[in-house]
Amino acid sequence: MAAEIAGEMPEWLRPPAAGYTADDVDRLQQLPPHTELLCGSLVFSVRQTIFHAGTVSWLDRQLADQVPEGWEVWWQMGLKIDSRNRPEPDLMVVDSRVGSGPGQTFWLPQDVVLVVEVVEEGEAEWDREIKPRKYAAAGIRHFWRIECEQGRPVAHTYELDAASGQYVPSGTFQERLTVRRPFPFTATLDRPHRGRQVSVPGTAE
């Protein structure tokens, strides 16, 4: 009976001795959506909150409206740092001139100028400590971390210090996020986690 149960297990439940590789994320077809790879181990997403979903959607729209020509915004796509690390940042600003076509499933660090993580409580250690170290080691110049503090978003921005190879704080923003690097950007931090407002047929505008 035990053998029968083992035979029905998905392949990803039996990790190789050396851990998984970044290419395995594409190869293992039964993986849950948005599976990440960190230090050779598969990491599965926690259930998404309204704050996380709404803030990512809001920031995606704001960035897309303000990125300069030659850059574009992607959300929840893989970032292949090396053979043992393939996280999936909430948002990335990437060079629009690169890419391998519509079947592409990940970006490379040299193509990314900004990575954004909106912190979920169940993934806080990844978003605050582990992922930023990986992004900095990969040479990505800018990192933003968005926290939910007293029900409102607070943006913490970082820039890569070339000498140390680590991120150093460049600002904390509670009401309005305004930066000059990696490109001029400004957005009001006013309950961006609210859903989109739409008109319902038969109701007043």
Side-chain angles (χ1 to χ4, degrees):
M1 182 65 178
E4 293 178 3
I5 294 175
E8 296 173 359
M9 292 173 59
E11 184 181 356
W12 54 266
L13 284 177
R14 296 187 293 270
Y20 288 105
T21 69
D23 292 334
D24 288 332
V25 177
D26 284 332
R27 181 181 61 81
L28 299 171
Q29 297 298 316
Q30 293 179 305
L31 285 177
H34 307 301
T35 297
E36 301 178 89
L37 182 73
L38 292 170
C39 303
S41 297
L42 299 176
V43 177
F44 307 111
S45 297
V46 300
R47 191 175 300 277
Q48 190 169 216
T49 63
I50 286 178
F51 175 83
H52 185 273
T55 301
V56 171
S57 177
W58 160 83
L59 193 53
D60 177 32
R61 297 195 301 271
Q62 297 294 320
L63 283 169
D65 287 342
Q66 299 182 52
V67 291
E69 185 176 357
W71 298 91
E72 58 192 23
V73 185
W74 289 92
W75 63 281
Q76 294 184 325
M77 277 197 68
L79 173 61
K80 188 176 180 180
I81 293 176
D82 54 39
S83 64
R84 291 174 53 81
N85 292 279
R86 182 171 156 172
E88 192 172 278
D90 288 321
L91 292 166
M92 290 184 284
V93 176
V94 307
D95 189 338
S96 62
R97 297 166 299 180
V98 301
S100 58
Q104 180 173 333
T105 59
F106 60 83
W107 295 97
L108 297 174
Q110 60 264 33
D111 304 326
V112 181
V113 70
L114 168 66
V115 169
V116 182
E117 293 288 359
V118 178
V119 177
E120 285 273 36
E121 183 176 351
E123 299 178 341
E125 184 177 0
W126 298 108
D127 294 339
R128 293 174 183 157
E129 300 178 23
I130 298 173
K131 287 185 180 182
R133 289 201 301 268
K134 299 292 185 183
Y135 299 150
I140 297 173
R141 288 174 286 164
H142 296 270
F143 170 67
W144 297 354
R145 192 184 81 247
I146 313 297
E147 298 271 358
C148 181
E149 299 183 14
Q150 297 181 339
R152 299 176 63 90
V154 175
H156 303 269
T157 62
Y158 300 83
E159 294 186 20
L160 185 64
D161 176 63
S164 65
Q166 298 178 349
Y167 285 128
V168 295
S170 57
T172 298
F173 305 86
Q174 296 182 331
E175 296 182 357
R176 180 180 294 272
L177 172 56
T178 302
V179 297
R180 299 298 301 171
R181 296 185 297 272
F183 48 82
F185 176 82
T186 185
T188 300
L189 297 172
D190 181 20
R191 298 186 68 191
H193 54 284
R194 296 181 65 183
R196 296 181 183 178
Q197 295 182 340
V198 297
S199 296
V200 179
T203 63
E205 293 289 338

